[in-house]
Amino acid sequence: MKGTEKIIAHIMADGDAETKRIIDEASKKAEEIRAESFKAALSEYEKLMQAGNAECEDILSGSRRIAEMEAKKSVLSVKQEMVAAAFDAARSEIVNMPRDKYTQFLARMAADASSTGEEEIILNEADKKELGKAVCKAANEMLQAKGMPGRLTLSEDTADISGGVIVRFGGIETNCSIDALIRQCRSGLSTEVAAALFE
């Protein structure tokens, strides 16, 4: 082998070795970069998953809170309806009590609301026709028993009420209708009625 061939062969051998070394280094570097990239991607994936899970938990928790509030509102609404129904039933029971007891009830309200013993009693149209004179008579007797003048009169007017009486003296009216009495009692009794209904 001539000198030049030896040199060329040596250069080529060195070149092959250098090439192999460069390729090995590049492969090693690429593997390191791939491993680091995979690790970074995995870390980012875990962060995104945690953030996603946390967001899902927040959404579920919020939805759960909203559902619980809606359920409480629905239950409260049903309870309020049942309390209202209880007061409606009480109104109906008073208005439909036996006529002699209802007459005494109306007379007692008229006598209790009277301050002079000379007022007018106003009833609804049905009660006026059926019970008006008896109510007026019984109320006057109650007033006289208390030492007051018993000169209540039955008004020509009628009231748009479900039951009860309105006592009028001049331009002043005392509303003793069943609806007015229930309204007065309702605020104070609603809690007790609810407790009795939902024990």
Side-chain angles (χ1 to χ4, degrees), residues 17-195:
E18 183 65 17
T19 302
K20 185 177 181 312
R21 187 187 65 74
I22 290 169
I23 288 171
D24 287 347
E25 275 186 23
S27 293
K28 187 179 173 187
K29 197 74 164 166
E31 182 59 30
E32 286 173 3
I33 291 169
R34 189 197 66 75
E36 284 177 17
S37 295
F38 179 77
K39 190 176 174 185
L42 187 60
S43 175
E44 188 62 25
Y45 168 78
E46 286 173 357
K47 282 181 192 171
L48 289 170
M49 285 297 290
Q50 286 174 352
N53 286 339
E55 189 174 347
C56 286
E57 278 298 321
D58 286 346
I59 291 168
L60 283 173
S61 178
S63 297
R64 201 175 295 121
R65 280 194 302 272
I66 290 168
E68 286 170 1
M69 284 192 319
E70 289 300 320
K72 284 178 183 175
K73 279 176 19 184
S74 295
V75 168
L76 181 60
S77 176
V78 169
K79 285 183 176 182
Q80 287 172 337
E81 286 174 18
M82 290 181 72
V83 168
F87 281 103
D88 288 343
R91 177 187 299 107
S92 179
E93 198 169 312
I94 292 169
V95 170
N96 294 308
M97 69 172 67
R99 295 296 84 184
D100 58 331
K101 287 185 178 177
Y102 186 55
T103 300
Q104 287 301 307
F105 174 75
L106 295 176
R108 169 70 54 211
M109 284 198 299
D112 288 347
S114 173
S115 57
T116 66
E118 298 182 355
E119 293 91 347
E120 284 182 290
I121 297 173
I122 306 171
L123 302 169
N124 67 28
E125 192 171 346
D127 289 347
K128 180 183 175 185
K129 283 180 187 173
E130 184 185 0
L131 309 169
K133 289 180 182 174
V135 169
C136 208
K137 182 174 183 283
N140 282 328
E141 288 170 0
M142 290 175 189
L143 286 170
Q144 288 167 357
K146 292 194 294 186
M148 291 178 69
R151 291 192 289 272
L152 298 179
T153 57
L154 187 61
S155 175
E156 293 297 316
D157 299 330
T158 57
D160 185 17
I161 55 177
S162 60
V165 299
I166 294 174
V167 176
R168 180 168 64 195
F169 186 74
I172 300 170
E173 291 184 350
T174 303
N175 187 348
C176 298
S177 66
I178 304 300
D179 292 330
L181 295 173
I182 285 176
R183 273 195 305 275
Q184 286 173 1
C185 294
R186 189 168 180 161
S187 59
L189 290 177
S190 288
T191 304
E192 290 177 40
V193 170

